[in-house]
Amino acid sequence: MKNIGGILMKMRKIIAAAAATALLSAGAPAAAALPDIEGWRNGEIRETKLEAISGSKGTWTERDYRTSGGARLHAVLMQGAGPKGWEITQTNAEDGEISGGESAENLTIAGRPALLEFRPVLGRSITVKLDAENVLTLESKNAEKEEIIAAAEIIVKKMR
C-alpha cells in the first residue's frame, strides 16, 4: 500500500511540474514564429509549450494583427507533434441552402496548401500547412476574402 501512495505522489509532482511549465511559458516571446508586419498593428506574441509526461509535443503560438485596412486577424501557429500527419483535404464546396451559407475552398498560399473557409456567423479562416509539423491558421470576423488571403501570404513569406 505504501508503494501505491508513493507512486501517486510522484505522478502528482510530475503533473504539477508539467502544468507549471505550460503556465510559465504562456507569455514567452517567439519573435520568429509570427512576424511583425510593417504598416499593421502587431499584437503581443503568446507562446505555450505543449508538454506531456512523455515529453514535448510542440508549441502553440498566438498573435493578433490588425491590417492597414482595419481587418482584425487572430493568428495561431501550431508547431510540433500536434499537426504531424494532418493534411488539408481537397474540399471545394458551398452548402448555402443546407447549412446557412458556409463555404470551403482549396488554395495555395506562398506555395503551400491551404483551405479557406467562410461561416456567416463566425467569419473567415484560412489554414496553411507549412510543412510536416507546422500549421498556420488565421481567423477573422471582419476580413474580406482578399484581405485574409493577402495576410496569410505576407505572414508565410516573412516566416521563411
Side-chain angles (χ1 to χ4, degrees):
M1 194 62 126
K2 285 184 182 181
N3 239 359
I4 293 175
I7 292 171
L8 288 175
M9 184 61 91
K10 286 181 185 178
M11 287 177 61
R12 285 186 189 132
K13 287 180 181 178
I14 291 170
I15 291 169
T21 300
L23 286 174
L24 290 173
S25 65
L34 292 170
D36 283 349
I37 308 297
E38 190 175 323
W40 294 9
R41 192 154 80 202
N42 301 287
E44 175 185 323
I45 295 173
R46 298 169 305 278
E47 181 180 279
T48 303
K49 301 282 185 197
L50 304 174
E51 302 288 338
I53 293 174
S54 60
S56 176
K57 298 299 178 190
T59 306
W60 172 287
T61 307
E62 297 177 88
R63 188 171 204 181
D64 294 318
Y65 293 96
R66 184 172 287 192
T67 68
S68 58
R72 296 178 185 157
L73 300 161
H74 179 72
V76 174
L77 177 64
M78 286 286 302
Q79 299 172 292
K84 190 175 186 176
W86 177 80
E87 295 296 330
I88 292 176
T89 59
Q90 285 290 75
T91 306
N92 288 322
E94 288 192 24
D95 298 322
E97 291 181 29
I98 297 171
S99 61
E102 288 96 355
S103 65
E105 178 182 351
N106 289 96
L107 303 169
T108 301
I109 300 294
R112 308 282 189 224
L115 180 66
L116 175 68
E117 296 178 279
F118 174 73
R119 291 183 173 76
V121 174
L122 300 174
R124 287 185 170 73
S125 67
I126 192 163
T127 305
V128 184
K129 177 81 173 182
L130 300 173
D131 57 35
E133 294 189 354
N134 297 285
V135 173
L136 172 70
T137 302
L138 292 176
E139 300 170 330
S140 180
K141 292 182 181 180
N142 69 333
E144 296 297 325
K145 178 180 177 178
E146 297 76 19
E147 289 177 304
I148 199 165
I149 291 170
E153 287 274 351
I154 292 168
I155 292 170
V156 171
K157 286 177 181 176
K158 287 194 84 161
M159 288 175 58
R160 288 186 183 171

